[in-house]
Amino acid sequence: NAEKSGVWATMLHLRAQLTSAFVADQKVPLITHDRLLGAQLSYNRRRAPCRVSKQLEPCLRTCERIQALPVAMEKRAQLVGQFVMPKSLYAVAVARPNKNNLKRLRAACARAVWGQANGHRAAEILFTRLVPGHRCDPVQAAAYLTILTARRVLRKHVALVPVLHRIIEMRSEGRGANYGMSGPGHALHHALRQCGGSVNLLDNAFAFRTPDNQTRQVLSVSAETTKFQHEVREALRAEQWHNLVLRRA
């Protein structure tokens, strides 16, 4: 069925050639983005609608319902982690999520867990001291899942290590900043910034800022999984406290 199929290419001249693609005298549509196993993929330099953007409104309504429940804060945080995070952050490691939509979702999750907003409250304290941020904070959870997913892929496909390392280097140099496109390398680079860390995949090193404002370096790809997860969560908490100090100073 040609109407349910599609052809795509990442180069402009190749897309021009595919405009005349036919199968059994039926024209096959040329697509610029597609969903593959729930992940939104873009085949040109435009950013495809991310999962957070597509599921934002249903997740906001879910947060409103959780906020109205007469249960303890810990229970509401657990419900946010069970029903909101998986729906909004599925396949988040494919591309960097939309910043504004992620901010809106974080505010809704904070209200669902802690109640109505208050100028004396800080989401950073809520998601680092009161409830586990890597489970119910969209900002920390997105970075956490992206780093762990990239690490899991690199452990299985060692040949991708130098490729992803070069992408992170180019992103750190500002290459690609003028383009709206995003991919796994961009998502990992942004996730590392969210935890105040950096990674050298060739040296198997992950460096980050500790809560006492010191720099710590640990193994990345070859490290024990549970230990590495703990280090990433520690880095995320330290960066949240650092952001809070800068905002309230």
Side-chain angles (χ1 to χ4, degrees):
N1 191 333
E3 295 181 354
K4 294 183 179 180
S5 304
V7 292
W8 57 269
T10 57
M11 305 295 292
L12 182 60
H13 69 280
L14 295 178
R15 286 196 292 270
Q17 297 177 17
L18 291 176
T19 54
S20 57
F22 286 84
V23 174
D25 297 330
Q26 295 187 22
K27 182 176 177 57
V28 182
L30 175 66
I31 58 177
T32 57
H33 69 272
D34 192 17
R35 188 183 71 172
L36 180 62
L37 299 177
Q40 301 293 331
L41 304 178
S42 175
Y43 304 128
N44 56 14
R45 292 186 175 182
R46 296 182 179 180
R47 185 190 295 268
C50 62
R51 178 83 176 187
V52 175
S53 302
K54 285 183 169 293
Q55 300 294 335
L56 180 61
E57 294 304 324
C59 289
L60 294 180
R61 292 193 295 268
T62 302
C63 287
E64 292 177 356
R65 294 182 177 182
I66 294 175
Q67 181 182 352
L69 293 176
V71 296
M73 180 176 62
E74 292 77 10
K75 293 293 185 181
R76 291 198 295 269
Q78 186 176 4
L79 292 173
V80 169
Q82 289 178 341
F83 295 103
V84 180
M85 294 298 103
K87 188 178 185 67
S88 60
L89 299 182
Y90 180 79
V92 70
V94 170
R96 172 187 171 182
N98 183 276
K99 181 179 179 180
N100 293 331
N101 290 338
L102 199 64
K103 185 177 179 180
R104 287 185 58 191
L105 182 60
R106 186 189 206 196
C109 291
R111 288 194 301 270
V113 176
W114 213 1
Q116 290 296 328
N118 188 301
H120 298 287
R121 293 179 176 179
E124 293 85 353
I125 297 299
L126 170 65
F127 291 127
T128 57
R129 303 296 297 177
L130 303 180
V131 295
H134 69 286
R135 295 180 183 174
C136 53
D137 176 15
V139 173
Q140 293 186 71
Y144 184 70
L145 293 173
T146 298
I147 294 174
L148 295 186
T149 301
R151 178 178 179 271
R152 185 170 63 250
V153 171
L154 293 177
R155 286 169 67 97
K156 294 181 179 180
H157 306 280
V158 183
L160 294 177
V161 169
V163 177
L164 197 56
H165 177 79
R166 180 55 182 158
I167 294 175
I168 295 176
E169 280 188 338
M170 295 174 66
R171 284 287 182 178
S172 301
E173 296 168 358
R175 304 273 297 274
N178 296 328
Y179 298 115
M181 61 181 178
S182 182
H186 185 208
L188 178 58
H189 178 256
H190 178 70
L192 292 171
R193 292 174 56 190
Q194 289 296 316
C195 66
S198 61
V199 64
N200 189 322
L201 296 176
L202 299 181
D203 294 337
N204 191 26
F206 171 62
F208 61 94
R209 181 193 296 115
T210 61
D212 56 355
N213 207 25
Q214 301 294 324
T215 300
R216 183 176 180 182
Q217 182 170 304
V218 298
L219 297 177
S220 57
V221 177
S222 64
E224 183 183 354
T225 299
T226 55
K227 184 177 180 179
F228 182 76
Q229 291 173 346
H230 172 76
E231 301 291 358
V232 174
R233 293 194 296 267
E234 190 75 4
L236 288 168
R237 285 191 291 268
E239 186 65 14
Q240 290 299 306
W241 295 339
H242 179 70
N243 295 337
L244 178 60
V245 170
L246 294 179
R247 193 175 75 250
R248 294 294 177 91

